[in-house]
Amino acid sequence: MTDRLMLLDSASLYFRAFYGVPEKVTAPDGSPINAVRGFLDIIAKLVSTYRPTHLVACWDDDWRPQWRVDLIPSYKTHRVVEAVAAGPDVEEVPDPLERQVPLIREALGLLGVVIVGAAEHEADDVIGTLATDAGMPVDIVTGDRDLFQLIDDEADVRVVYTARGMSNLEVLTDSSVQSKYGIRAAQYVDYAVLRGDASDGLPGVAGIGEKTAATLLAAHGDLAGIIAAAERGEGMGASAQAKVQAGADYLTVAPTVVKVVRDLPLDVPDTALAPLTADARGAAASFTAQWGLGSAFDRAATAIADVSATA
């Protein structure tokens, strides 16, 4: 069995789990556990379907790094509920979900799934670094289109895209990005910069949407080529030229915000999947009994054991 690394955009998945499983799913003491159960079922499905030999839950140690905010102050600002001078700011997270995040981390630990984060960086940056240095095929599981920039057919880096739900997963390669958006995955940073992204507080270039962004990239290759063409007054209409020139200050800083970091100095333990140890089985029995998670945990543990047995 060929080694394959799966990288989880953990926050993307636990938000999906929280909203995908009814809040009436509770522990014996009445505590909400819908996100934990949903997250465990997501792991079971992903491992069973794509059969990774290695798995990492990538974590937002800082969901809104100050260095990105310094470049674009509107970056994720609409999701801040409390500014913290020493950082990171407090993100808007439903209270029933926030209470479950430590349980998700505990469940991952019992399953032997490595959690990796990095100070002053988002999970995207952890994913970018691990995907770049993997030395094996990689599946990135996310609902965030910005991670399309990491797709690389030559290195066999794919995105398992969750935006349509866990029953309608899409495996995206460079050719499928080309088909969907009319650009290559390597152009995705420039594409995202031009069109913007309201969900991240990224304004984009005023008046340039997805279609125009794709057309400009097809004609000029990258953002530098577009800016140079606008300065020369060649290769685009007067309206597009004026819009690109008006957005010059934004275009200077936005690529740094959108581009994921690929060279973090991460200290990552062994990420290979393995069956639960005897100690982990004992701790898991206590954990699942307390929280009423036995069947969901067992499905995830069984999927991991099955894959590791054939590795």
Side-chain angles (χ1 to χ4, degrees), residues 151-169:
I151 291 171
D152 184 339
D153 287 1
E154 185 174 340
D156 199 2
V157 177
R158 314 182 300 184
V159 163
V160 179
Y161 191 44
T162 64
R164 295 172 56 203
M166 294 305 298
S167 298
N168 295 285
L169 296 171

Side-chain angles (χ1 to χ4, degrees), residues 4-304:
R4 178 171 287 274
L5 172 64
M6 177 170 281
L7 302 174
L8 306 181
D9 182 1
S10 300
S12 170
L13 295 179
Y14 64 61
F15 269 96
R16 176 163 294 281
F18 176 73
Y19 288 111
V21 178
E23 286 191 61
K24 65 182 181 182
V25 175
T26 57
D29 68 357
S31 300
I33 50 98
N34 59 321
V36 190
R37 180 171 293 183
F39 198 95
L40 287 168
D41 283 337
I42 285 172
I43 288 178
K45 173 161 187 172
L46 290 170
V47 171
S48 297
T49 303
Y50 300 105
R51 305 189 70 77
T53 56
H54 298 68
L55 181 62
V56 179
C58 302
W59 218 262
D60 283 323
D61 278 11
D62 189 340
W63 68 280
R64 186 174 181 255
Q66 188 60 46
W67 58 270
R68 283 189 164 109
V69 176
D70 288 343
L71 293 171
I72 297 184
S74 62
Y75 184 66
K76 295 186 178 180
T77 189
H78 59 293
R79 287 154 54 183
V80 176
V81 293
E82 181 184 349
V84 178
D89 293 334
V90 178
E91 183 181 13
E92 182 179 8
V93 178
D95 181 65
L97 171 56
E98 189 170 18
R99 290 157 58 191
Q100 295 180 69
V101 173
L103 297 179
I104 291 171
R105 292 183 65 101
E106 186 173 353
L108 288 168
L110 291 169
L111 289 168
V113 176
V114 172
I115 299 172
V116 180
E120 301 179 355
H121 288 84
E122 301 173 55
D124 288 10
D125 302 312
V126 175
I127 291 169
T129 297
L130 295 179
T132 300
D133 295 334
M136 67 181 80
V138 178
D139 286 334
I140 298 165
V141 185
T142 185
D144 183 355
R145 292 192 298 175
D146 282 344
L147 288 172
F148 292 178
Q149 65 185 271
L150 297 174
I151 291 171
D152 184 339
D153 287 1
E154 185 174 340
D156 199 2
V157 177
R158 314 182 300 184
V159 163
V160 179
Y161 191 44
T162 64
R164 295 172 56 203
M166 294 305 298
S167 298
N168 295 285
L169 296 171
E170 296 179 86
V171 177
L172 299 182
T173 61
D174 197 53
S175 59
S176 51
V177 171
Q178 179 82 43
S179 176
K180 272 178 170 289
Y181 302 104
I183 59 166
R184 292 175 287 105
Q187 296 174 302
Y188 199 86
V189 169
D190 292 346
Y191 175 75
V193 165
L194 287 164
R195 63 154 168 78
D197 188 343
S199 67
D200 280 341
L202 194 71
V205 175
I208 292 184
E210 295 191 353
K211 184 175 180 180
T212 302
T215 299
L216 290 172
L217 286 168
H220 304 290
D222 58 18
L223 192 57
I226 292 170
I227 293 170
E231 290 173 348
R232 296 193 307 269
E234 297 174 358
M236 66 185 71
S239 175
Q241 177 189 3
K243 291 167 183 174
V244 170
Q245 290 179 320
D249 290 344
Y250 162 79
L251 291 173
T252 300
V253 297
T256 303
V257 175
V258 176
K259 189 179 300 182
V260 302
V261 178
R262 293 180 179 238
D263 58 356
L264 292 174
L266 299 176
D267 183 14
V268 182
D270 184 10
T271 64
L273 292 175
L276 269 64
T277 63
D279 288 345
R281 285 197 298 270
S286 175
F287 173 80
T288 56
Q290 178 181 357
W291 298 105
L293 290 165
S295 59
F297 188 91
D298 287 347
R299 285 191 291 272
T302 298
I304 288 171

